[in-house]
Amino acid sequence: MDLSERLKLSDKSTPASEYDRAKELKAFDDTKAGVKGLVDAGIRTVPKIFIRPPDELAEELDFPHVQLQVPIIDLDGLRGTDRRKEILENVLAASETWGFFQVVNHGVPIHVLENMLHGVRKFHEQDVEAKKEFHSRDSETKQVKYHTNYDLYYSRAANWRDTLTVYMRSLQNWDNDQLPSVCRDEMVVYVEHMKKFGEIIFELLSESLGLKPNHLQSLECLERKTFVFHYYPECPEPEITLGSSAHKDPCFLTILLQDQIGGLQVLHQNQWIDVPPIQGGLIVNIGDFLQAVSNDKLKSVAHRVVANRVGPRISVASLFQGQMIQPKLYGPIKELLSQGNAPVYRDFTIKEYMSTFQSEALGRNSSIDCFKI
């Protein structure tokens, strides 16, 4: 008997009259074994709590399937005058039109990337009892937590993934001993590289906007960081669920590391475009906050992860979220405004935005739209 049967989890054949979603969500969450626990138990069908609503599945038929390529930017020769100008132009074009781009020759050693992916796998594939130590739905006081979907209890359909999240709210008070011992060393090294690479990307974005290189950094965009370590197990029915629902990121910038499984898609011109893995590459995407401070010049775009019969897929998202501990107002950068380019957004705090973002299911609405004038 598999775990879904022991938990009495319904599948797509279960009549609506026999389906108690709230009860089944709690039963699943109480195991603290996550989606991986279901797969390890030999599950053969996707439980109903993960099945997308009929209207969502029907919408898939309306999206054309075309072959387009997300921009790839080579940072080789970044410090050279001619190459830097070309790179700045490419960064601006990609950020304005796609909101996404892949980066190669970024300076982060490939062994650091590979070790981090291996570390994430070690955490999620260790004994369930070891992971339970970090299981929590408290995002206010817990700085390291493991769970399945922050919006599990109010989403229309749960996503097929488990997540370890690390909130680095203040580096001054950060203690590496809080990190899981099984992957602590890999995390410490990776975080240091992401901080440095984040500085480079913010510098390029500042310059591409016609600002001083340190402008975005002076706004404390790099102050608060959240690292999200996703594990997407293989799925027996990937066509009826998602690894991650379509959403825009609650940050200034996200740097994403993904393995070679694939599954990430970005919405471009009303089409879902695959973002195929590049060995040793990193993905950069513009977040909601950067769209707001650039007054809509840079675009935060919807993206998602499809489920896959092959797995696990592993990814690491590094979110740069700005100053939150000491309330700071963010709004359109004055140097980017003019008589013909009035502010699109009112000033807001990161805490105010996050309250809106976390009160709804992932991707249900665009949280940044709430702050439009």
Side-chain angles (χ1 to χ4, degrees), residues 94-319:
S95 301
E96 287 179 320
T97 57
W98 283 84
F100 258 77
F101 54 92
Q102 300 215 59
V103 180
V104 296
N105 291 318
H106 41 65
V108 182
I110 192 167
H111 72 268
V112 172
L113 307 181
E114 292 174 344
N115 288 348
M116 187 67 267
L117 291 173
H118 181 60
V120 178
R121 188 165 192 151
K122 285 194 298 181
F123 173 83
H124 285 284
E125 294 184 354
Q126 66 182 324
D127 186 83
V128 173
E129 293 304 314
K131 290 189 290 187
K132 284 183 178 180
E133 174 189 350
F134 297 95
H135 192 276
S136 175
R137 295 204 166 273
D138 176 8
S139 59
E140 293 298 321
T141 61
K142 291 283 187 180
Q143 296 196 77
V144 180
K145 69 175 184 179
Y146 150 75
H147 61 208
T148 299
N149 301 191
Y150 81 87
D151 59 347
L152 181 69
Y153 288 99
Y154 49 94
S155 62
R156 298 180 74 195
N159 287 164
W160 197 260
R161 74 172 188 280
D162 299 324
T163 303
L164 172 68
T165 305
V166 176
Y167 301 96
M168 291 190 172
R169 297 185 175 94
S170 172
L171 293 180
Q172 293 178 338
N173 300 320
W174 180 253
D175 180 3
N176 286 331
D177 287 343
Q178 298 175 87
L179 299 172
S181 59
V182 70
C183 55
R184 182 179 300 148
D185 292 344
E186 294 91 337
M187 285 183 169
V188 170
V189 173
Y190 186 78
V191 165
E192 282 302 312
H193 280 282
M194 286 303 100
K195 289 192 302 188
K196 293 175 183 176
F197 183 54
E199 291 172 1
I200 292 172
I201 296 299
F202 275 111
E203 183 180 287
L204 292 175
L205 287 166
S206 292
E207 285 189 58
S208 71
L209 289 168
L211 304 168
K212 293 181 179 179
N214 69 338
H215 193 105
L216 290 172
Q217 191 165 348
S218 72
L219 297 179
E220 300 179 282
C221 296
L222 290 90
E223 185 62 28
R224 182 181 192 263
K225 303 172 187 68
T226 297
F227 295 88
V228 186
F229 306 89
H230 289 312
Y231 185 95
Y232 302 83
E234 60 270 26
C235 180
E237 298 176 291
E239 64 280 356
I240 61 175
T241 188
L242 281 171
S244 182
S245 298
H247 65 284
K248 299 179 180 181
D249 284 356
C251 59
F252 284 96
L253 190 76
T254 299
I255 298 171
L256 181 75
L257 166 66
Q258 63 172 342
D259 66 10
Q260 297 300 300
I261 295 292
L264 176 64
Q265 296 181 329
V266 58
L267 189 63
H268 180 69
Q269 297 177 351
N270 201 38
Q271 303 164 91
W272 285 112
I273 309 300
D274 291 329
V275 186
I278 295 177
Q279 186 69 35
L282 290 167
I283 298 166
V284 174
N285 69 274
I286 305 300
D288 274 0
F289 308 162
L290 197 48
Q291 176 172 313
V293 300
S294 71
N295 208 41
D296 274 352
K297 187 170 181 62
L298 308 183
K299 298 297 187 291
S300 174
V301 299
H303 50 285
R304 68 181 187 179
V305 177
V306 296
N308 201 316
R309 292 187 187 277
V310 178
R313 176 185 185 267
I314 295 169
S315 69
V316 181
S318 306
L319 285 74

Side-chain angles (χ1 to χ4, degrees), residues 323-369:
Q323 180 58 266
M324 189 171 176
I325 295 178
Q326 299 175 357
K328 177 181 176 66
L329 287 173
Y330 288 99
I333 296 170
K334 291 181 174 56
E335 288 85 347
L336 301 180
L337 303 178
S338 64
Q339 188 171 357
N341 185 30
V344 177
Y345 301 90
R346 68 170 176 83
D347 290 350
F348 60 92
T349 65
I350 303 303
K351 186 174 183 179
E352 186 180 10
Y353 172 97
M354 293 305 297
S355 294
T356 301
F357 181 86
Q358 293 175 341
S359 66
E360 296 184 327
L362 184 66
R364 180 70 64 85
N365 295 298
S366 176
S367 298
I368 199 63
D369 287 348

